[in-house]
Amino acid sequence: MKTTKLFSRFMTLFLLLLFGFALGAKSAGLESSQFAVLMSVIAVISFVHFKMIRKKFA
């Protein structure tokens, strides 16, 4: 159980870093369509992650 919680924390940190990377890329001149695709990918990964974690800890 501890390993799962640790993995969950690292995955959440990784998702936050990805979100920060996307915002940084947008301010560096990424086109809007590419930004939308990047944010969509991050949103899907986040949704799957939180759904799996909710199932494990429920």
Side-chain angles (χ1 to χ4, degrees):
M1 191 66 149
K2 284 184 179 182
T3 306
T4 306
K5 282 187 178 181
L6 185 64
F7 173 75
S8 171
R9 288 181 182 149
F10 279 128
M11 188 64 182
T12 303
L13 178 65
F14 176 70
L15 289 170
L16 288 172
L17 287 173
L18 271 179
F19 183 70
F21 166 74
L23 291 178
K26 177 65 176 168
S27 66
L30 191 69
E31 292 182 15
S32 292
S33 60
Q34 292 172 336
F35 180 71
V37 169
L38 185 60
M39 289 305 289
S40 299
V41 168
I42 293 171
V44 168
I45 293 172
S46 299
F47 178 75
V48 170
H49 168 65
F50 289 125
K51 191 172 180 180
M52 283 175 39
I53 293 304
R54 182 183 278 179
K55 211 180 260 188
K56 277 195 190 287
F57 295 125

